[in-house]
Amino acid sequence: MINPTDDLREVLERGARWNALLTSRLVTDEDLQAIQRYELRDQDARADMMDEEGDACARAFLNVLSDVSQTEYVQYVLALITRMLSDDKTRASHFLAVEKKDDDDKGEGGGGGEAYAVFLRLLAAPDWFTREKAMFCLTRLIDQRPARDKRLRFSEDGEPATPAGVAAVRLSRWLCRELSADPPFHPHRAVPSCVTALASLLSIREVRPVATRAGVARAVAPLLKVTAGPHNVQELYEAGLCAWLLTFHPPACDAMARCGVIRGLMEVAGAAAKEKVVRVATLALRNLAAAT
C-alpha cells in the first residue's frame, strides 16, 4: 500500500534555503515567519498553531507554491502540507478559506478557488513527488469541501459551476490519463496512488459521468488481475471499489462490459485472498448483473 507520507522524510530533513528566497523577494517576511514558526514545531505544537492562525499559515504555503517554481521549495512546502492533511484532514478548511490575491478575482475564487488552482497546476510538474502530493492535497480539499458544495453544481452547458466542481472534473480526467499511461509515470507509486484518489473522487455522483467519458473503464480494467504475479491487495481493492461506484452510472456499466471489467471482477471474486477484495468485486458484479 502506498502511503502519501512514506517518502516525506528525506524532503523534510533537507529543508529549504529560505534566505535565498527572501533575498530575491520571492517570499515576504510575513509568510516566511509563518512557515518557519510552523516547520520548527512538533506535531502537537503545529496543531495548536493551526488552531490559532491556520488561515494565515495556509495562505503563506499557497503564496510560495504560486510564486516559486524551484523544485526544492515546491517539494518542501508540499511535504509540509501533505503531512498536515494526513495528520488531520479537516485542516483543508484553512486552504479552502483562502481567497485569490487579486481583488478582481475574489468573486470567483471563494470556496477554495485559489488553493484548487495552485494544486491543479502542480499536476503537470516534471517530477512524480510533486504530482503525487498535489494529487493528495486536491483529493483532501475536495473531500473536505463546505456543505454548500457537497453536491457539485453544473451549469446548463454541462460545465462545473463551483471551484470544487472544476477541481474534481480536472483531477478525474488527469487520473484516468495517468492510469492509462504506458509505462506509468512512476513505476511503483503512480498506479496505486492514482487508483486510491480515483476511488475517492468516484464517491461523488457528479464525477462519474465525467470519468466515464474520460475512459475510466479502460483505465480500471487492467488493474483487476489477480494472476499477474504478486499484487497489491489495497490496489486491487481500490480498483474493485472504482468499478462498484461506477455501477451506479448506467453508461459506465455499458463501458465496463465492453472493456473487460466484468471478466476482471469475476477473476477477483473467485481468486482474491482478502475478504474485502472479494466482497467489493461481488457487489460490483451484482449491480452489473442487475443493470443488464
Side-chain angles (χ1 to χ4, degrees), residues 23 27 43 77 97 155 201 231 236 264 274:
T23 301
V27 63
Q43 183 174 352
V77 171
S155 61
L201 281 184
H231 62 275
L236 198 57
K274 290 292 184 178

Side-chain angles (χ1 to χ4, degrees), residues 46-238:
R46 291 196 302 267
D48 291 340
M49 178 179 175
M50 292 303 295
D51 288 339
E52 297 171 3
E53 47 186 312
D55 289 0
C57 194
R59 159 52 74 193
F61 285 141
L62 291 177
N63 282 346
V64 173
L65 293 178
S66 297
D67 298 337
V68 179
S69 59
Q70 292 98 316
T71 301
E72 168 192 350
Y73 301 103
V74 171
Q75 288 187 348
Y76 182 68
V77 171
L78 281 173
L80 290 173
I81 299 172
T82 297
R83 183 177 63 183
M84 176 200 302
L85 297 181
S86 181
D87 289 342
D88 184 354
K89 63 183 180 180
T90 65
R91 297 300 182 189
S93 63
H94 299 297
F95 294 88
L96 294 172
V98 173
E99 297 284 358
K100 286 184 178 293
K101 295 178 184 179
D102 301 326
D103 292 340
D104 293 341
D105 291 331
K106 282 188 178 180
E108 181 184 352
E114 172 75 354
Y116 288 130
V118 168
F119 293 122
L120 283 169
R121 178 177 56 80
L122 293 174
L123 293 177
D127 65 285
W128 180 251
F129 184 95
T130 299
R131 290 186 176 204
E132 182 185 300
K133 304 320 169 193
M135 171 187 66
F136 172 77
C137 293
L138 278 168
T139 305
R140 275 287 195 257
L141 265 61
I142 293 168
D143 178 66
Q144 294 296 304
R145 63 196 184 280
R148 66 176 182 275
D149 291 335
K150 284 299 180 185
R151 187 179 185 280
L152 301 182
R153 299 189 301 275
F154 285 74
S155 61
E156 293 182 0
D157 59 2
E159 292 300 315
T162 64
V166 171
V169 167
R170 290 183 59 185
L171 180 57
S172 64
R173 290 170 177 164
W174 182 86
L175 289 168
C176 289
R177 290 196 302 271
E178 291 297 313
L179 287 171
S180 300
D182 186 17
F185 194 94
H186 189 283
H188 308 299
R189 299 185 67 91
V191 171
S193 56
C194 284
V195 74
T196 297
L198 182 61
S200 176
L201 281 184
L202 289 176
S203 67
I204 304 171
R205 183 181 61 184
E206 295 86 356
V207 170
R208 295 167 196 162
V210 176
T212 300
R213 292 191 294 271
V216 66
R218 291 192 304 275
V220 170
L223 307 180
L224 296 167
K225 294 187 182 300
V226 177
T227 57
H231 62 275
N232 184 311
V233 172
Q234 188 64 26
E235 179 183 323
L236 198 57
Y237 170 76
E238 299 287 1

